[in-house]
Amino acid sequence: MGDKLHLVRVREGLENYYSYIPPNLIYLLSDRANIAVSAVWRGTICGTAIAERFEDVIELRSIFVDPGFRKIGLGEYILKGLINTARDEGVIGVTAHYTEKSFPKHRSLLQRAGMSEAKASAAGYMIALGDIPRIDKIKIPFDSCSFADVPRDLMDNYRKMCSRGELPDYVNVLKYRNPLKNLSFLVADKGKVAGVLIGEKNAAGLRLGGLYSPKEYQGRGPSILLLSLALTEAQKQYPKETVVTIDAISKGAIKLCEKLLPRKSLIFKGTEFFCYLKL
């Protein structure tokens, strides 16, 4: 291709192209379903984008352009190249999540690539386990269990609800790369799922994915029970300096986090923004 600007599909083992991929995302290249592309001009790598695939949708995880090649449309070129590659491989949707701090720098790029106007989708909280006060045992008239010891009939019910779209994707354990069974919990009402919380490992330490309770159970206790179970178990198993990130999707979950987590000890609190492109 000579001196022409072109895209290279980055695969595991092509270490020359790793420089613009965050170190904590290199592992994504081991799964060939994930997609990474780099822009190359005159033998020089100018920037890279990488996305993680979940069935027929990809999530943009990182896009970076070399400072020497910025403000010439290269970011748009790379992102559109990633999107076109995904479309050719059967992907039907592209998602992107950004923090309140990082989103303004990417807003224009995402819109030029065809992504929807971003909407606030969650509040994120980061705090060290040792800074979370002891949570008293919650007494509500529902059963609870971790994914490590969930009864088979309840697990079957949970899976069916996920497959039918009765539970949101953010509490579908199959959407998580490193779920932790002992930090993921279900609350049940006579065998019916009344609430879900998924725990996983992440680059910072631990993450508690979006807390969810079906509408008929909201305000009746499952959410506070789930969060208390997960935090109490995390405090038992991990050092107090371990950082835990909590995603609060609904207004109720946000209020709950505001109530349980001491503000003065928060490492970070911010809004997550979400945008989408249907292919």
Side-chain angles (χ1 to χ4, degrees):
M1 295 185 182
D3 293 343
K4 291 183 179 180
L5 177 68
H6 62 280
L7 286 173
V8 172
R9 177 67 181 272
V10 181
R11 302 284 194 183
E12 185 178 32
L14 298 178
E15 296 183 4
N16 290 342
Y17 293 91
Y18 286 10
S19 55
Y20 294 140
I21 299 176
N24 64 310
L25 297 181
I26 294 293
Y27 77 92
L28 292 175
L29 297 176
S30 63
D31 186 342
R32 296 180 68 86
N34 299 325
I35 300 172
V37 296
S38 289
V40 180
W41 183 68
R42 292 185 175 179
T44 300
I45 302 166
C46 310
T48 300
I50 185 168
E52 186 171 7
R53 183 162 182 168
F54 299 94
E55 297 180 355
D56 52 7
V57 174
I58 61 167
E59 179 180 343
L60 180 64
R61 297 297 303 275
S62 173
I63 181 166
F64 184 86
V65 176
D66 186 287
F69 293 90
R70 292 177 183 172
K71 298 183 179 181
I72 59 173
L74 192 58
E76 181 181 353
Y77 173 79
I78 295 171
L79 183 51
K80 285 185 174 178
L82 178 81
I83 291 170
N84 289 333
T85 300
R87 181 186 287 111
D88 291 343
E89 296 186 12
V91 171
I92 64 172
V94 182
T95 65
H97 294 81
Y98 282 91
T99 65
E100 194 171 19
K101 182 179 179 180
S102 65
F103 174 66
K105 296 183 291 185
H106 294 85
R107 180 197 296 267
S108 177
L109 169 61
L110 294 169
Q111 291 182 347
R112 292 198 307 272
M115 304 289 286
S116 67
E117 184 67 35
K119 297 180 180 180
S121 62
Y125 300 82
M126 292 180 68
I127 189 169
L129 286 175
D131 290 330
I132 302 173
R134 186 178 67 86
I135 302 172
D136 294 331
K137 188 174 182 180
I138 307 299
K139 296 180 180 180
I140 61 172
F142 300 122
D143 298 322
S144 62
C145 59
S146 74
F147 274 57
D149 56 12
V150 59
R152 183 171 180 177
D153 58 342
L154 180 58
M155 177 56 75
D156 288 343
N157 189 18
Y158 161 76
R159 287 173 174 165
K160 289 176 182 177
M161 291 180 71
C162 288
S163 65
R164 293 194 298 257
E166 296 172 9
L167 294 175
D169 279 351
Y170 60 77
V171 290
N172 184 347
V173 70
L174 296 179
K175 302 291 184 178
Y176 288 72
R177 181 167 293 274
N178 299 301
L180 297 169
K181 289 185 177 181
N182 54 357
L183 290 186
S184 300
F185 291 88
L186 285 169
V187 169
D189 177 19
K190 297 178 182 179
K192 185 176 181 180
V193 175
V196 190
L197 179 63
I198 307 296
E200 69 167 348
K201 290 183 179 179
N202 69 358
L206 301 173
R207 172 176 172 252
L208 302 182
L211 182 64
Y212 181 77
S213 181
K215 190 173 183 179
E216 63 190 284
Y217 293 103
Q218 292 174 12
R220 297 173 59 187
S223 293
I224 191 170
L225 175 59
L226 286 163
L227 193 54
S228 66
L229 287 169
L231 291 176
T232 299
E233 193 62 30
Q235 288 175 321
K236 290 179 182 177
Q237 297 186 36
Y238 295 89
K240 62 182 181 180
E241 62 271 16
T242 302
V243 173
V244 59
T245 302
I246 304 171
D247 293 345
I249 306 296
S250 67
K251 291 181 180 179
I254 292 172
K255 289 181 180 179
L256 184 57
C257 288
E258 296 283 358
K259 179 181 178 180
L260 292 178
L261 305 177
R263 294 187 181 184
K264 65 179 182 179
S265 299
L266 290 175
I267 298 170
F268 168 83
K269 177 194 171 203
T271 301
E272 182 181 82
F273 289 87
F274 168 84
C275 51
Y276 181 79
L277 173 62
K278 183 178 180 179
L279 301 182

